[in-house]
């Protein structure tokens, strides 16, 4: 990729609008309109009038953290989302949506070795779709160590269900941040943050050098020797809705019955095998 795609430019323009702080009266109209049109449930958050920009409303934090299982063997949802697909990998292939497969090795990019990518062959995958109405922050699903992070610049196609049905390899074309993690039971898994149209920014709190939807056009690898995070830790947010893909190695997770359902951050979605 040697120049920014038109979807990047559109997202940057929308991001400027979303970050602008209007007068309290105008901002109130903007916030009320967004909450009403998208059907946001604000019961877990501060009043809509307290957010000084549309982007502040997108990236809102919970008033109080959710309660979740402290059991080491339980794996929680990292976000509020819709599970568009989940299940078993066919070798290295996962479902983007029913009937459309993509290659996980390609999704993970070229900064991981073949050996690192092959650990997930015949493992499990979960696709979390965050719509514009959802809580946009993401959390750590289990106690873990982050081994590597890779920022892969790309496009910013919409990732809603209708777009997933129309565009093959959508996750692979879009900009993403890939985290290689090791859980406390010694198993490895990947968390892939996939950008989408409008704003296109993905914040990663432990790595401020990652600047998504920027002029940086080449993949960048970050490696860590002692980066440990706890279940439930808030480690960033999408500025607008997007997707998280979790890909776990074989014999790591036993998934709950979550396919085609809404899940909440903190909900147990799998258990260690």
């Amino acid at each position: 990729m040697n120049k920014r795609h038109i979807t990047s430019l559109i997202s940057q323009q929308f991001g400027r609008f979303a970050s602008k702080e209007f007068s309290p009266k105008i901002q109130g109209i903007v916030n009320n309109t967004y909450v009403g049109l998208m059907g946001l449930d604000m019961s877990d958050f501060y009043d809509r009038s307290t957010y000084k920009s549309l982007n502040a409303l997108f990236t809102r934090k919970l008033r109080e953290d959710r309660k979740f299982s402290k059991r080491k063997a339980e794996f929680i949802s990292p976000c509020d989302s819709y599970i568009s697909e989940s299940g078993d990998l066919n070798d290295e292939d996962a479902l983007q949506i029913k009937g459309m497969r993509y290659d996980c090795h390609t999704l993970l990019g070229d900064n991981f070795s073949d050996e690192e990518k092959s650990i997930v062959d015949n493992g499990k995958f979960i696709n979390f779709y965050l719509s514009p109405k959802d809580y946009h922050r993401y959390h750590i699903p289990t106690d873990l160590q982050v081994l590597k992070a890779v920022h892969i610049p790309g496009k910013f196609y919409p990732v809603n269900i209708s777009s997933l049905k129309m565009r093959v390899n959508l996750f692979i074309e879009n900009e993403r941040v890939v985290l290689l993690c090791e859980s406390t039971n010694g198993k490895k898994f990947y968390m892939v943050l996939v950008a989408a149209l409008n704003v296109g920014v993905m914040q990663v709190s432990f790595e401020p050098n990652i600047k998504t939807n920027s002029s940086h056009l080449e993949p960048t690898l970050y490696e860590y020797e002692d980066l440990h995070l706890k279940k439930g830790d808030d480690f960033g947010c999408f500025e607008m809705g997007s997707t998280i893909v979790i890909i776990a190695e074989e014999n790591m997770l036993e998934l709950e019955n979550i396919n085609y359902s809404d899940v909440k951050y903190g909900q147990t979605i799998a258990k260690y095998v």
Side-chain angles (χ1 to χ4, degrees), residues 141-207:
T142 187
D143 292 352
L144 56 79
Q145 180 179 358
V146 180
L147 304 176
K148 294 183 178 182
V150 178
H151 170 214
I152 305 173
K155 300 170 184 176
F156 293 86
Y157 290 120
V159 293
N160 54 35
I161 302 303
S162 59
S163 297
L164 292 176
K165 290 178 179 178
M166 291 188 297
R167 185 174 291 277
V168 178
N169 290 333
L170 177 54
F171 295 159
I172 291 170
E173 290 193 59
N174 274 14
E175 184 148 341
R176 54 206 185 274
V177 175
V178 184
L179 309 179
L180 173 58
C181 308
E182 183 172 322
S183 64
T184 54
N185 69 350
K187 298 285 188 176
K188 293 185 175 68
F189 68 98
Y190 291 88
M191 291 183 66
V192 185
L193 312 175
V194 184
L197 188 68
N198 291 334
V199 186
V201 173
M202 298 176 285
Q203 297 180 17
V204 182
S205 59
F206 62 79
E207 187 48 77

Side-chain angles (χ1 to χ4, degrees), residues 52-69:
K52 295 183 178 181
S53 69
L54 189 55
N55 196 42
L57 179 60
F58 292 158
T59 60
R60 62 195 180 276
K61 293 187 176 183
L62 294 162
R63 278 203 317 268
E64 297 179 6
D65 196 15
R66 301 230 178 99
K67 296 186 185 306
F68 54 82
S69 172

Side-chain angles (χ1 to χ4, degrees), residues 35-176:
V35 169
L37 282 176
M38 297 300 170
L40 270 64
D41 179 357
M42 296 295 291
S43 57
D44 287 342
F45 307 96
Y46 295 102
D47 188 83
R48 67 188 73 176
S49 64
T50 63
Y51 301 100
K52 295 183 178 181
S53 69
L54 189 55
N55 196 42
L57 179 60
F58 292 158
T59 60
R60 62 195 180 276
K61 293 187 176 183
L62 294 162
R63 278 203 317 268
E64 297 179 6
D65 196 15
R66 301 230 178 99
K67 296 186 185 306
F68 54 82
S69 172
K70 303 297 185 182
R71 294 176 181 171
K72 295 288 188 183
E74 296 194 17
F75 194 95
I76 64 172
S77 173
C79 57
D80 290 6
S81 60
Y82 174 75
I83 306 300
S84 58
E85 283 292 346
S86 67
D88 298 319
L89 292 172
N90 179 11
D91 291 327
E92 71 267 26
D93 285 351
L95 285 173
Q96 176 172 291
I97 203 163
K98 189 173 182 179
M100 293 176 66
R101 293 192 170 274
Y102 65 90
D103 181 87
C104 287
H105 290 196
T106 306
L107 177 75
L108 300 177
D110 296 330
N111 290 89
F112 296 102
S113 68
D114 290 343
E115 183 179 359
E116 287 174 320
K117 289 187 281 193
S118 67
I119 62 172
V120 299
D121 291 356
N122 299 309
K124 303 284 187 183
F125 75 97
I126 314 170
N127 299 340
F128 303 83
Y129 166 62
L130 292 81
S131 78
K133 70 178 176 59
D134 284 320
Y135 168 58
H136 289 76
R137 307 199 70 82
Y138 29 78
H139 298 255
I140 297 299
T142 187
D143 292 352
L144 56 79
Q145 180 179 358
V146 180
L147 304 176
K148 294 183 178 182
V150 178
H151 170 214
I152 305 173
K155 300 170 184 176
F156 293 86
Y157 290 120
V159 293
N160 54 35
I161 302 303
S162 59
S163 297
L164 292 176
K165 290 178 179 178
M166 291 188 297
R167 185 174 291 277
V168 178
N169 290 333
L170 177 54
F171 295 159
I172 291 170
E173 290 193 59
N174 274 14
E175 184 148 341
R176 54 206 185 274

